[in-house]
Amino acid sequence: MAAKITKDMTIGEILNINMNLAGVLMAGGMHCVGCPSSQGETLEEAAMVHGIDPELLLTRLNAFVDALDK
């Protein structure tokens, strides 16, 4: 069973689940996934900084992870 991503997880934790999640983050408008400071920000914090709906991004990330599990 795949890990469930939450908005309280850091970008670094999310990328540790699967590095391909960087593409999901970037497609959602978060182009700073390689920035060292983003690694310690939570998904919610990073989304808010970039004006992105954290719930929409969370849905997309979990859909990607769920698809890997199939």
Side-chain angles (χ1 to χ4, degrees), residues 20-43:
N20 292 321
L21 288 166
V24 178
L25 291 166
M26 292 192 319
M30 196 172 301
H31 301 283
C32 64
V33 295
C35 174
S37 64
S38 75
Q39 301 302 302
E41 286 183 318
T42 66
L43 177 64

Side-chain angles (χ1 to χ4, degrees), residues 8-69:
D8 297 329
M9 294 175 78
T10 66
I11 301 299
E13 290 171 328
I14 292 168
L15 294 176
N16 281 336
I17 292 170
N18 186 303
M19 286 302 291
N20 292 321
L21 288 166
V24 178
L25 291 166
M26 292 192 319
M30 196 172 301
H31 301 283
C32 64
V33 295
C35 174
S37 64
S38 75
Q39 301 302 302
E41 286 183 318
T42 66
L43 177 64
E44 184 172 40
E45 291 167 340
M48 298 305 255
V49 166
H50 293 285
I52 301 166
D53 177 2
E55 295 300 328
L56 178 60
L57 197 51
L58 187 61
T59 298
R60 291 177 179 169
L61 290 165
N62 278 310
F64 182 89
V65 171
D66 289 345
L68 292 175
D69 213 20

